[in-house]
Amino acid sequence: MTFLTAASSLLLAGQPSFAGGRATACYEPVEEPAVWGTAAETVLVRPASVTYEIIPARYGYQTRELIVEPARTFDEITPARYQTVERPVVLEPQRLVTRTTPPVYRTVTETVMVAPAGERWEWRVIGGKRVYCRVVVPARYATQTRQVVVTPERTYTDVIPPRYGVEHVQVLVQAKQVRTRLIPPVTRTVTERVVVEPEQRIAHPLPAEYETRYRRVKVQDERQGWRQVHLRGSC
């Protein structure tokens, strides 16, 4: 059987018919229903999941030392110790003094020549006759006193020894001392609840569940077209 599609039918329908002519080919309209089939498919019924089993924690008791007051340190200070002592000091150092002894005099009386002996010329009247004579003049003496140096002036250096005294001073007998002392901590024993084993979560995975389902599916759509027919005596 020859089957023409809808496009071919439009072509045949658009051709005019000629009255009185002889038909060479004849066609009739036909409809072909849709073709249906059955398809199998896997469908997810329940997705994969995980369930958890909770195992509770296990507790116990233990004792431990609790610090009430922490350890600490402090400084123990011993102050410095001093003592007053006497010690000699130089009040005046040794020095040199230049001294002068004045001269010693004594008074002496002595006869000294006031004018030495000599000659001079003078006019004299001798025997009533004035004559110019050379006259011998004896020395002339006088008594006088004078100071005589018994001991001359003397300069000498005198050594003045140092002069000492006593002063009172503070001397260090023992230096300042610092000792660090340790005070141990103050503790007490306490009993407390502790976790022996922590809580556990155990995972149990559940696989996904599938099932096969069947459904009707269209394999081929319905069709319309033309089918050639043979009519006796006509075409």
Side-chain angles (χ1 to χ4, degrees), residues 34-156:
V35 180
W36 295 85
T38 301
E41 60 182 6
T42 302
V43 179
L44 177 64
V45 177
R46 186 183 65 189
S49 62
V50 178
T51 61
Y52 293 92
E53 178 185 356
I54 305 300
I55 299 177
R58 189 162 61 87
Y59 296 89
Y61 292 90
Q62 71 175 12
T63 59
R64 67 182 181 92
E65 294 296 318
L66 178 66
I67 297 178
V68 179
E69 293 183 8
R72 57 191 177 91
T73 59
F74 72 96
D75 292 335
E76 186 180 82
I77 300 175
T78 302
R81 188 161 58 87
Y82 296 88
Q83 182 179 354
T84 301
V85 297
E86 295 182 351
R87 68 179 180 185
V89 293
V90 178
L91 300 179
E92 292 183 3
Q94 174 181 298
R95 57 196 176 92
L96 301 178
V97 178
T98 302
R99 301 185 185 279
T100 301
T101 302
V104 178
Y105 297 92
R106 67 184 179 87
T107 301
V108 296
T109 301
E110 59 184 359
T111 300
V112 295
M113 180 186 296
V114 177
E119 294 179 348
R120 71 172 183 271
W121 292 89
E122 62 181 18
W123 290 97
R124 288 186 176 185
V125 176
I126 301 176
K129 188 178 182 177
R130 187 174 179 269
V131 291
Y132 190 59
C133 301
R134 186 175 60 182
V135 179
V136 176
V137 180
R140 188 163 54 89
Y141 295 91
T143 300
Q144 66 177 9
T145 60
R146 64 182 180 89
Q147 297 288 325
V148 179
V149 176
V150 178
T151 304
E153 179 182 84
R154 184 169 61 91
T155 300
Y156 64 93

Side-chain angles (χ1 to χ4, degrees), residues 158-220:
D158 193 6
V159 178
I160 306 299
R163 187 164 65 88
Y164 295 95
V166 176
E167 68 174 355
H168 297 82
V169 294
Q170 295 282 331
V171 294
L172 180 64
V173 177
Q174 181 177 330
K176 173 183 175 181
Q177 296 180 352
V178 179
R179 294 180 181 177
T180 300
R181 302 289 187 182
L182 174 64
I183 299 178
V186 178
T187 62
R188 65 183 177 90
T189 302
V190 296
T191 301
E192 58 187 4
R193 190 167 179 251
V194 296
V195 176
V196 177
E197 289 183 3
E199 178 183 276
Q200 299 181 22
R201 298 179 66 194
I202 301 176
H204 297 285
L206 297 177
E209 290 186 8
Y210 299 90
E211 69 177 13
T212 302
R213 293 182 181 179
Y214 299 92
R215 63 184 180 89
R216 190 165 177 253
V217 296
K218 182 185 289 187
V219 179
Q220 179 179 308

